Amino acid sequence: MTLHHKQEDKPNQSKSSDKASGPMSGQVFDVVVVGAGVVGCAIARRFTLEGAQVAVVEKATDILDGASKANSAILHTGFDAPTGSVEVSCIREGYREYLEIHNNLALPLENSGAYVVAWNDNEVAALEAIVGQGHANGIADVSIIDTVELRRKEPELSQQALAAVAVPGESIIDPWSAPYAYLRQSLLNGGEVFLSCEVTGGNFDGQKWQLQTTHGTLNTRHVINCAGLYGDLLDRKILGSSDFDIKPRKGQFVVYDKAAAKLVNSIILPVPTGRTKGVVVCRTVFGNVLVGPTAEDQESRSDACTDEDALRALIASGTSKVPALENMPVTAVYAGLRPATEYKDYQIDAKPKRNWITVGGIRSTGLSGALGIARYVFKLYSDLGSKHAPVHSPKNPKAAALAQNMQRDWQRKNHGDVICHCELVTEREIQQALSGPLEARSLSGLKRQTRVTMGRCQGFYCSARLTELTEGHFDTPLSYEIGKSGRDHD
Amino acid sequence: MTDQNFPSTEQFDVVVIGGGPAGLSAATQLKRQGVANVIVLEREPDAGGIPRHCGHFGFGMREFKRILTGPQYAAKLVKEALRAGVAIHTSTTVVEANEHGTLRVATKQGVRKINARRIIYATGIRETPRSARLISGCRPLGVMNTGALQSMIYLKNRKPFKHPVIVGTELVSFSAIMTCRHANIKPVAMIDELPHVTARWPSSLFPRLVGVPLHLETRLVRIIGEKQVSAVVVENAEGQRRELKCDGIILTGKFTPEASLGRSGHLAVDPATGGPVVDQYGRCSDPVYFATGNVLRPVETAGWCWNEGRQTASWVKDDLAGKLSGSEAHLRIGIKSPVIKYVVPQQISVPDLSTGMENLQLRFMQRARGELIARNASGDFMKWQLRVAPERRVLIPISDLGLTAQTHIQNNNDEIELCFKQSPQ
Ligand SMILES: Cc1cc2nc3c(=O)[nH]c(=O)nc-3n(C[C@H](O)[C@H](O)[C@H](O)COP(=O)(O)OP(=O)(O)OC[C@H]3O[C@@H](n4cnc5c(N)ncnc54)[C@H](O)[C@@H]3O)c2cc1C
Ligand SMILES: Cc1cc2nc3c(=O)[nH]c(=O)nc-3n(C[C@H](O)[C@H](O)[C@H](O)COP(=O)(O)OP(=O)(O)OC[C@H]3O[C@@H](n4cnc5c(N)ncnc54)[C@H](O)[C@@H]3O)c2cc1C
């Protein structure tokens, strides 16, 4: 088995869509993970470290193209998760492990803390129960604070705030560099990844699976379905039925200019409604402030459109909580889709007779829970009887330092040049993201890996240089040469 | 030659942030007037600012008595500056502007801290992107501002689409049409929510002349497309919606100062202009900093900014020599009308009114006819009859305010209010 992922093995490199007898037909993996969202990436890492032969299969050109594309980037403690749920145990375990590994993987962590703020008397009355639930979930430092204390911590918060629950452990992280690091660690220690490769079917012979993909067949002893927004469809297609239905729930966000970071120190949470965590005002590790998400049920599993009215409502909500946001420019807007189901809890289930584990319905806490989910799933897998020798002193990849409080590449020498002025992304960072097994093959992939064009000008200044730097790298190119034969035939 | 190697010096007389028309002309003029140690810091690989990628003619009349293309004009400004002895450092980004004239600068060789007696803030302007316009819909490739399109086409000889929709009818929107024509891009329509073209006649004739359908009172309501834009939904004044097939969207105009250095730092920002709050010298809330060019406000021509840069140079030179009056006592100029978009300067330092900008620069939100009124604590004291339209410059001589009159300058933080009384239609 190769240590590094071999380029020539990668299905998305085989331009002819040669089926069945593809380059991977000979090999039998211990585990194929379907889907490179944050959950799939964390599971690939855990199984690789435990010594299993793992392949991750992802249908998009770049990883994190589904639910994991867009979230609030909060590392939750689990203080408000349903007591006794699988979710709360995974979040707590995920939180613990993130704190343990983030230094080794050079991942950012800002322990900003959170305040669940009550804006009316009913909400004030609900605070006791929130503290109670936090304590029941094992988070001992959750407590009620009065407005004096709240104002001291958050001077720009509206005077309408009446009281709050302080949750000191809530933190902010980078929603993309973390899963990238998980998958990179898997690859560095023997795992493989197949991109632009969709699992379309499969047969189980009692011992192993033959998985059909858009680029050939994969042989594996076990399958872990981490297909996020498509988890029920995959189960239905290959197993014949699914234990749950995915009910996509959109969340839109407004991101404010970095200048707004002066206004908010922590995560300002509303008193939850039961259905969602509600609209959050929160700093990001990149130095912006975000307001969101909305919670909108929809049919489509891919439509992450934004809507002007919803965005204006978010701006109004943000401004009512932090009035000084009024004069702050909006930098970006985006939307993400939660893979919600008819159930509240995660839908993690092993099908022992078929060597299949479904990890579904990781609705709104997957970024926090991923490392814990991975351990939970590995336990289920071990219980099925598989044994491996864990990797001895595993290699640690180093994540690109993108968070504001890290030493960024532009602060070092020989970075080429600063290309994206708003986010201070260097040529060297872009070149790095355009190479290696997880090379960016779309602008959105490059954005997630480097933050290029994610700042206030949204590409006004750097698009031209970027289109040149990325030439030949993207499946959908940003531009093409003027007057060159073939494409410019008008 | 401009220089990417940063000098080892840490102390300068004047550092100019931004090597566009305003910054270059300010630096050139400072050198010509004998200020010793002047450098321009420019974050792009080449100085010249926005005109670098305006491939069309129309630059240089005021400055060089010749009609040049943007790139020719930019090159000429750089040449003049170098000839005057200005050091221009390209690929050099000012990342923080702090108190006491301290700047944090990113260069290819790493980060530097430098210090200047005066700093000229000349970072220009850009267009508002899709996100800040809150436009609904999917987020595919092919949505961009004119500036990005121009730099792709004129600097890199590449084009992103073939049949875009152009949103806006400002002057720059017509540059967008010209840019398209240069690359054999055929816009399918030009739309604006206003009932009239924003740019002056005869620009308004241009789309028809080159066969681009112009739809007024038409609003972009939704972007459609998975990977690349495939259509837009537009809505007319009657609320009727229809789909226009296209493969790109050029969002033109809606200019906003590139004033993030000041906003993230310590300089007061005027929400109306989006640029720094300045007095009649362009002096910011921290008197070490002087702003000039389009960072002051949206938006003026290159020639205007070039001239502004020259004037700023003389005020900065005077200030270095201790000849400029202080900024401690000033009158604020407030806007008390929803029709007035902004006024620059936002305050006037007193008592010396003999130098500095000659005019208040105003812009208006809508077409209107009426009376601009200046009011102070003792009532209305000056009136001007005006006909105004969006994005048209209105200049009011500061001398009209009669500010030498003691009444206005007794108290610091006195305010002059500008109101607008519309005439009945
Ligand atoms: C608005 C919003 C805010 C959130 N905020 C937070 C937060 O602050 N903190 C937190 O912890 N969590 C948060 N979350 C939740 C978190 O983002 C999700 O729980 C998590 O991303 C789910 O990841 P996943 O890996 O299960 O699914 P996905 O990311 O959807 O991954 C599934 C992957 O499988 C691929 N795939 C699907 N079908 C196939 C197939 N047949 N073959 C190959 N590949 C396939 C998809 O392309 C996709 O990449 C938020 C979510 C949203 C939407
Ligand atoms: C798309 C577009 C098209 C235009 N077309 C025309 C036209 O056709 N004719 C016309 O007369 N005017 C046009 N304008 C107006 C234009 O703003 C002026 O012509 C002129 O460029 C303004 O000069 P300036 O020096 O104020 O700003 P700019 O020309 O914008 O120069 C500012 C410079 O500062 C640099 N800079 C910014 N921040 C930093 C930093 N932190 N550190 C270092 N350097 C920095 C920038 O890279 C830039 O080079 C256009 C503007 C835009 C946006």
Side-chain angles (χ1 to χ4, degrees):
Chain A
M1 193 57 237
T2 49
L3 204 60
H4 294 272
H5 171 77
K6 282 190 293 178
Q7 293 280 326
E8 62 270 26
D9 281 353
K10 194 156 62 179
N12 72 5
Q13 301 267 313
S14 55
K15 293 286 180 227
S16 63
S17 51
D18 46 347
K19 298 268 152 59
S21 61
M24 39 183 172
S25 57
Q27 185 172 357
V28 182
F29 293 98
D30 292 321
V31 175
V32 163
V33 176
V34 184
V38 62
V39 173
C41 291
I43 288 179
R45 169 180 175 274
R46 171 59 37 213
F47 278 68
T48 303
L49 297 182
E50 299 287 355
Q53 288 298 330
V54 180
V56 177
V57 184
E58 168 57 52
K59 67 177 179 178
T61 56
D62 294 81
I63 70 168
L64 312 181
D65 201 55
S68 307
K69 184 176 349 197
N71 55 52
S72 318
I74 300 171
L75 185 69
H76 294 295
T77 53
F79 77 98
D80 58 353
T83 306
S85 60
V86 176
E87 181 180 14
V88 77
S89 64
C90 288
I91 295 175
R92 295 217 55 200
E93 184 57 21
Y95 183 93
R96 186 202 59 74
E97 188 171 352
Y98 189 88
L99 263 57
E100 179 185 297
I101 67 174
H102 83 275
N103 279 331
N104 284 340
L105 302 180
L107 292 172
L109 172 73
E110 261 192 70
N111 181 215
S112 58
Y115 298 101
V116 184
V117 178
W119 300 94
N120 58 44
D121 293 339
N122 286 340
E123 291 180 354
V124 172
L127 295 186
E128 282 293 349
I130 294 173
V131 172
Q133 184 167 12
H135 292 171
N137 289 352
I139 296 104
D141 57 0
V142 178
S143 65
I144 293 184
I145 60 166
D146 61 16
T147 42
V148 180
E149 174 76 357
L150 185 59
R151 295 263 142 69
R152 209 172 53 74
K153 294 277 167 40
E154 292 290 355
E156 292 290 339
L157 206 62
S158 154
Q159 299 294 317
Q160 310 293 313
L162 297 179
V165 172
V167 193
E170 295 277 299
S171 300
I172 51 178
I173 63 175
D174 176 346
W176 304 294
S177 70
Y180 265 98
Y182 304 159
L183 185 53
R184 285 215 167 90
Q185 190 165 32
S186 167
L187 300 181
L188 263 183
N189 292 285
E192 297 213 19
V193 64
F194 301 100
L195 296 167
S196 299
C197 188
E198 181 174 351
V199 173
T200 52
N203 303 306
F204 184 59
D205 65 8
Q207 302 276 307
K208 59 180 172 40
W209 279 93
Q210 280 204 318
L211 279 186
Q212 275 99 50
T213 79
T214 44
H215 284 91
T217 306
L218 275 174
N219 297 310
T220 176
R221 282 177 269 278
H222 296 85
V223 178
I224 304 179
N225 171 1
C226 300
L229 292 156
Y230 299 84
D232 56 342
L233 297 186
L234 191 72
D235 270 12
R236 228 167 261 141
K237 183 173 238 169
I238 299 183
L239 304 181
S241 68
S242 169
D243 298 340
F244 56 88
D245 292 312
I246 291 289
K247 301 182 182 299
R249 187 173 295 160
K250 177 151 74 188
Q252 304 189 44
F253 291 92
V254 169
V255 183
Y256 283 92
D257 194 271
K258 291 191 198 293
K262 292 186 272 200
L263 306 176
V264 184
N265 299 315
S266 60
I267 303 163
I268 310 296
L269 299 166
V271 173
T273 60
R275 194 160 149 285
T276 71
K277 289 180 176 292
V279 172
V280 178
V281 179
C282 145
R283 233 156 27 79
T284 72
V285 291
F286 313 111
N288 301 84
V289 168
L290 61 78
V291 178
T294 58
E296 306 159 58
D297 291 322
Q298 64 177 39
E299 288 294 311
S300 170
R301 296 163 192 257
S302 61
D303 173 352
C305 288
T306 55
D307 176 73
E308 182 174 346
D309 294 337
L311 298 173
R312 289 201 188 282
L314 285 177
I315 289 172
S317 164
T319 315
S320 75
K321 290 169 180 163
V322 181
L325 282 176
E326 165 138 43
N327 287 326
M328 285 295 164
V330 169
T331 285
V333 302
Y334 65 93
L337 302 178
R338 306 170 185 85
T341 68
E342 63 271 49
Y343 306 106
K344 260 199 124 167
D345 206 352
Y346 293 170
Q347 298 300 302
I348 304 178
D349 189 36
K351 316 262 187 273
K353 296 209 184 83
R354 305 174 77 171
N355 289 7
W356 182 282
I357 302 176
T358 302
V359 186
I362 314 298
R363 183 180 61 165
S364 49
T365 52
L367 181 64
S368 314
L371 295 168
I373 294 169
R375 285 182 180 272
Y376 181 87
V377 172
F378 187 74
K379 170 94 175 28
L380 290 180
Y381 168 84
S382 305
D383 291 348
L384 301 181
S386 301
K387 291 268 176 301
H388 306 284
V391 174
H392 200 65
S393 49
K395 295 191 175 64
N396 289 320
K398 291 278 177 254
L402 301 178
Q404 188 168 247
N405 65 3
M406 300 175 111
Q407 199 200 20
R408 299 276 317 271
D409 198 45
W410 62 264
Q411 290 164 266
R412 293 191 277 255
K413 288 184 180 184
N414 305 321
H415 50 63
D417 202 355
V418 173
I419 302 293
C420 166
H421 297 303
C422 304
E423 295 298 312
L424 295 166
V425 183
T426 68
E427 187 172 340
R428 177 166 55 191
E429 285 175 312
I430 292 170
Q431 299 293 9
Q432 266 161 13
L434 291 171
S435 61
L438 299 179
E439 62 181 340
R441 293 183 62 98
S442 66
L443 180 61
S444 25
L446 187 65
K447 284 161 87 165
R448 294 195 283 273
Q449 289 201 55
T450 64
R451 296 198 52 71
V452 74
T453 75
M454 287 174 108
R456 49 180 78 89
C457 91
Q458 298 274 304
F460 177 94
Y461 292 110
C462 71
S463 287
R465 295 176 84 186
L466 197 58
T467 180
E468 193 176 48
L469 283 170
T470 58
E471 185 177 2
H473 287 275
F474 293 168
D475 290 10
T476 310
L478 300 182
S479 68
Y480 44 95
E481 230 176 297
I482 295 171
K484 234 190 164 180
S485 60
R487 306 210 47 182
D488 191 24
H489 47 92
D490 37 18
Chain B
M1 268 290 290
T2 58
D3 197 354
Q4 302 191 343
N5 290 316
F6 209 74
S8 53
T9 340
E10 314 217 312
Q11 183 68 44
F12 300 89
D13 288 331
V14 180
V15 170
V16 179
I17 312 174
L24 289 173
S25 84
T28 306
Q29 191 69 6
L30 280 166
K31 277 306 268 192
R32 286 185 183 155
Q33 295 187 350
V35 177
N37 202 347
V38 182
I39 60 168
V40 173
L41 307 183
E42 169 55 54
R43 64 190 182 182
E44 294 291 331
D46 296 293
I50 294 289
R52 280 178 312 123
H53 53 69
C54 296
H56 51 270
F57 282 97
F59 293 85
M61 263 319 275
R62 189 199 290 245
E63 307 86 320
F64 307 118
K65 312 285 175 266
R66 282 203 265 160
I67 299 185
L68 304 170
T69 65
Q72 289 168 339
Y73 172 74
K76 197 149 168 54
L77 290 176
V78 170
K79 212 164 119 193
E80 298 252 309
L82 294 175
R83 193 181 296 150
V86 174
I88 304 176
H89 298 283
T90 52
S91 291
T92 302
T93 311
V94 177
V95 289
E96 269 174 42
N98 295 315
E99 287 171 51
H100 315 296
T102 305
L103 299 175
R104 193 159 177 241
V105 177
T107 74
K108 288 189 179 179
Q109 289 80 38
V111 182
R112 293 282 308 276
K113 213 172 222 164
I114 60 171
N115 216 75
R117 294 171 64 204
R118 294 294 177 275
I119 291 166
I120 297 183
Y121 183 21
T123 50
I125 211 163
R126 59 175 167 80
E127 294 159 289
T128 301
R130 181 244 169 110
S131 55
R133 297 176 189 229
L134 306 179
I135 300 168
S136 302
C138 322
R139 300 189 302 127
L141 293 180
V143 185
M144 64 185 64
N145 290 127
T146 320
L149 179 71
Q150 287 181 335
S151 32
M152 271 188 207
I153 289 177
Y154 290 117
L155 300 179
K156 303 294 178 191
N157 198 42
R158 305 182 67 85
K159 64 179 182 182
F161 41 56
K162 289 181 194 163
H163 304 291
V165 165
I166 299 177
V167 181
T169 58
E170 295 180 40
L171 208 51
V172 66
S173 322
F174 298 94
S175 301
I177 296 187
M178 287 196 271
T179 308
C180 287
R181 283 173 66 79
H182 181 83
N184 202 13
I185 294 170
K186 305 228 162 59
V188 296
M190 178 179 234
I191 64 170
D192 199 319
E193 38 194 322
L194 296 176
H196 46 76
V197 169
T198 303
R200 270 179 205 281
W201 190 89
S203 305
S204 47
L205 298 179
F206 190 62
R208 205 158 315 148
L209 225 74
V210 298
V212 177
L214 175 66
H215 306 294
L216 295 173
E217 296 189 284
T218 301
R219 197 167 71 91
L220 170 57
V221 290
R222 192 166 195 81
I223 295 172
I224 302 174
E226 272 194 27
K227 288 194 166 144
Q228 181 87 20
V229 176
S230 62
V232 292
V233 178
V234 297
E235 187 182 82
N236 67 13
E238 284 80 51
Q240 290 159 334
R241 294 189 172 193
R242 66 189 172 108
E243 232 177 87
L244 280 176
K245 292 256 168 288
C246 58
D247 64 352
I249 301 168
I250 311 173
L251 298 170
T252 67
K254 288 200 198 286
F255 291 99
T256 177
E258 175 67 354
S260 46
L261 267 183
R263 192 190 300 279
S264 299
H266 67 299
L267 301 181
V269 175
D270 175 13
T273 57
V277 172
V278 295
D279 69 5
Q280 72 270 36
Y281 307 109
R283 185 164 49 187
C284 303
S285 56
D286 172 349
V288 169
Y289 289 80
F290 286 71
T292 192
N294 272 340
V295 74
L296 283 173
R297 97 263 92 184
V299 50
E300 286 292 350
T301 61
W304 178 283
C305 295
W306 174 85
N307 192 46
E308 217 159 39
R310 287 207 318 173
Q311 293 181 320
T312 305
S314 63
W315 302 326
V316 168
K317 194 202 74 180
D318 285 352
D319 196 29
L320 284 170
K323 288 194 244 158
L324 215 60
S325 66
S327 61
E328 307 78 38
H330 58 251
L331 291 166
R332 269 177 297 136
I333 304 181
I335 297 173
K336 288 281 137 48
S337 159
V339 181
I340 305 176
K341 186 176 170 194
Y342 66 70
V343 58
V344 172
Q346 296 85 350
Q347 57 193 40
I348 294 181
S349 297
V350 287
D352 182 13
L353 297 159
S354 56
T355 60
M357 298 175 194
E358 277 169 37
N359 297 304
L360 296 180
Q361 307 173 34
L362 286 88
R363 292 273 165 120
F364 287 78
M365 301 296 240
Q366 65 195 57
R367 283 195 174 187
R369 185 193 295 230
E371 227 169 31
L372 179 70
I373 302 165
R375 180 180 294 163
N376 63 12
S378 35
D380 299 357
F381 67 91
M382 190 67 208
K383 290 178 181 164
W384 300 265
Q385 294 297 328
L386 297 176
R387 258 177 88 167
V388 299
E391 297 311 319
R392 300 284 162 76
R393 164 199 312 150
V394 173
L395 299 178
I396 300 293
I398 293 180
S399 58
D400 277 11
L401 297 172
L403 284 182
T404 43
Q406 280 303 316
T407 45
H408 296 295
I409 55 175
Q410 272 163 1
N411 310 319
N412 183 25
N413 293 335
D414 244 1
E415 190 164 29
I416 294 177
E417 294 181 346
L418 294 178
C419 321
F420 191 77
K421 206 164 97 202
Q422 289 196 56
S423 320
Q425 291 300 310

